[in-house]
Amino acid sequence: MFKPLDINENKEKNMGEITDVERVKCLIIGSGPAGYTAAIYAARANLSPVMYEGLQPGGQLTTTTEVENYPGYPEGVTGPVMMEDLKKQAERFGTDVRWGMATKVDFSGEIHKVWIDGSKIIESEVVIIATGATAKYLGLEDEKKYAGGGVSACATCDGFFYRGKDVAVVGGGDTATEEAMYLAGLCRKVYLIVRRDELRASKVMAERTMKTPNIEILWKHQTVGLFGDGVVEGATLIKNKGEADEEEVKIKIDGFFLGIGHKPNSDIFAGYIDTDEIGYIKTIPGTSKTKIPGVFACGDVQDSIYRQAVTAAGSGCMAAIDAERYLSEKHS
Ligand code: NDP
C-alpha cells in the first residue's frame, strides 16, 4: 500500500543508545520553503543554524512538478530545483544542513533538547519547527503509479495544467470543495467524488459547489483505481446504491486530485506545544512564537488555511527574526 512520507511514522525507529550530545544556538527541524527561508535569515543573523532535513528533504514541493506561482520565476521552476536552490542559498550563508530526523523533544528546560534518529541529542537555545504537513492519500497503489502523471494533492499548484480538461476531486470537506471550485474555474468539468450522500464542508462552500454548473457530484462513490497509458486517463469507482448493491463506474479524467485532508507533522511536539484538534501548531497570532519561549513554528505545520510555498517562506522569515530577537533579548 502506498503511504506518503510522514515525519511522524519513523519516530519509534532507531531509538538506540545516545552516542552524541551537541550544543548549538539555533536548530531548524524540517527543510521545505519555511525551513530553508528560516535558515537563510538565521544564518545571515549569525545564529549559525543547524538544520535537520527530515525524511523528505525539500518537503512536499519535491513531489510536485512545475511551480509557476512562486514569485521570481517568470518561466516557472520544478519543485525539486527550487528546493535545491533554496538549500544552496541557505548553505551559502553557513547553514549546516544535515540528513536526519527529529524523533523526540524535551522542551521542559531553558535549553531545548531534540533527539535525532534516536541516537544523538541536539541541545539548542532556539528551535524552529518547520516540519510541514502531509496530504492524505487514499492508499491506492495507482496513486503511486501515477504520481507526477495526473495525481495531485494541490489544486492551486497543479490545476493550471488541466485547463479545459476533465478532472476529479475526492472528498467532501472544505479542502475538496475549495479545490473543486478552483478547478471549476479552469477545467471543462470537475467530478467531486463523495463517499457519503452529504458534504462535510461548511454550508456556504457546499451550496456554492452544488450551484456550480461544471461540477458534478458523484454521491456515494469510492475510488478503487486509476487507469491510463503512463498518465491518468480515467478512474474506476464503486457506486454504493444501497445495501449490498454496488455498481462499478468508470469516468474519463486527465487529473485526479486528493482533497481528503492534511496531517500536520506535529506528533513529536505533543505535550509541550499547543495544537488545534487536527494537530496544527498554535502560534501567537501575527508571530511564529509558540507558548514555549525559544520555540518557533513556521510553514504548513502551523497553517491550515493558506499552505502555499510563498506563505511558508514568509513565515520562515518571521520565525528566524523572532528567534534572533529572542536571543538578543535573552543575552542583553
Ligand atoms: P475534513 O476532515 O473536513 O474532510 C475530509 C473529507 O474527505 C470528508 O468529506 C471525508 O468524508 C472525506 N474522506 C476522508 N477520507 C476519505 C477516504 N478514504 N475516501 C473518501 N473520502 C474520504 O478535511 P478538510 O481538509 O476538508 O478540512 C480540514 C479542516 O480544515 C476543516 O476544519 C475545514 O473546515 C478546514 N479548512 C478550512 C478552509 C478554509 O477555511 N478556507 C479550507 C480547507 C480546510 P466523510 O465526510 O465521509 O468523513
Side-chain angles (χ1 to χ4, degrees):
M1 295 279 272
F2 171 57
K3 270 188 80 194
L5 289 170
D6 183 342
I7 196 172
N8 300 313
E9 73 182 4
N10 276 12
K11 65 178 177 177
E12 297 303 331
K13 289 187 186 165
N14 304 319
M15 296 294 269
E17 265 181 42
I18 301 301
T19 53
D20 190 7
V21 178
E22 182 184 353
R23 183 74 167 261
V24 304
K25 201 191 278 185
C26 172
L27 175 66
I28 299 170
I29 312 173
S31 58
Y36 285 133
T37 306
I40 292 164
Y41 275 77
R44 287 170 57 83
N46 276 342
L47 303 190
S48 310
V50 169
M51 167 189 279
Y52 279 93
E53 291 183 302
L55 256 192
Q56 189 178 20
Q60 292 179 77
L61 269 188
T62 55
T63 64
T64 68
T65 46
E66 209 68 25
V67 179
E68 294 185 329
N69 54 8
Y70 197 93
Y73 292 98
E75 305 304 325
V77 60
T78 68
V81 166
M82 189 170 125
M83 288 307 106
E84 211 33 57
D85 282 350
L86 280 174
K87 180 177 179 177
K88 280 189 207 145
Q89 196 174 349
E91 286 179 325
R92 183 178 146 217
F93 296 110
T95 305
D96 184 350
V97 180
R98 302 176 184 177
W99 169 254
M101 167 92 184
T103 49
K104 180 180 158 186
V105 300
D106 179 351
F107 292 158
S108 60
E110 197 183 321
I111 297 298
H112 305 303
K113 293 182 187 168
V114 177
W115 278 250
I116 303 296
D117 296 326
S119 59
K120 175 181 177 106
I121 295 178
I122 301 284
E123 296 182 339
S124 187
E125 288 189 72
V126 298
V127 175
I128 296 178
I129 300 170
T131 46
T134 308
K136 291 186 196 160
Y137 284 73
L138 295 171
L140 302 172
E141 273 300 324
D142 287 342
E143 290 169 316
K144 195 174 179 184
K145 181 174 167 190
Y146 295 103
V151 174
S152 169
C154 179
T156 334
C157 318
D158 297 330
F160 190 73
F161 303 112
Y162 300 94
R163 275 170 305 160
K165 297 184 174 174
D166 294 351
V167 298
V169 178
V170 190
D174 280 328
T175 296
T177 50
E178 216 171 68
E179 291 207 343
M181 293 290 299
Y182 180 82
L183 291 166
L186 295 168
C187 302
R188 192 175 67 163
K189 173 158 192 165
V190 180
Y191 293 100
L192 185 62
I193 305 169
V194 180
R195 67 179 173 184
R196 291 187 296 139
D197 58 0
E198 63 179 328
L199 295 174
R200 182 184 289 275
S202 55
K203 200 162 177 281
V204 58
M205 281 306 290
E207 277 173 5
R208 261 188 229 158
T209 306
M210 288 192 271
K211 276 188 194 153
T212 303
N214 62 338
I215 297 180
E216 181 182 344
I217 304 184
L218 300 175
W219 301 106
K220 295 172 96 174
H221 282 66
Q222 298 245 41
T223 314
V224 290
L226 302 169
F227 55 86
D229 188 8
V231 292
V232 170
E233 292 171 14
T236 307
L237 317 175
I238 296 290
K239 180 180 180 183
N240 179 353
K241 296 198 291 183
E243 223 165 273
D245 186 5
E246 291 183 339
E247 177 191 343
E248 190 180 278
V249 178
K250 287 194 188 292
I251 53 170
K252 290 191 76 180
I253 46 167
D254 298 294
F256 181 78
F257 288 81
L258 280 309
I260 61 172
H262 290 78
K263 185 182 185 316
N265 299 317
S266 63
D267 286 4
I268 63 166
F269 311 108
Y272 294 104
I273 301 285
D274 287 343
T275 64
D276 68 10
E277 62 284 356
I278 300 170
Y280 287 99
I281 291 177
K282 285 186 183 170
T283 51
I284 297 170
T287 78
S288 67
K289 295 174 190 171
T290 69
K291 73 168 191 189
I292 308 279
V295 178
F296 306 89
C298 53
D300 284 11
V301 73
Q302 53 84 59
D303 174 12
S304 63
I305 298 171
Y306 302 105
R307 294 196 294 251
Q308 298 300 299
V310 66
T311 49
S315 71
C317 160
M318 288 165 64
I321 291 175
D322 286 341
E324 197 270 323
R325 289 184 183 160
Y326 166 82
L327 285 172
S328 52
E329 271 169 35
K330 189 176 165 199
H331 294 294
S332 63

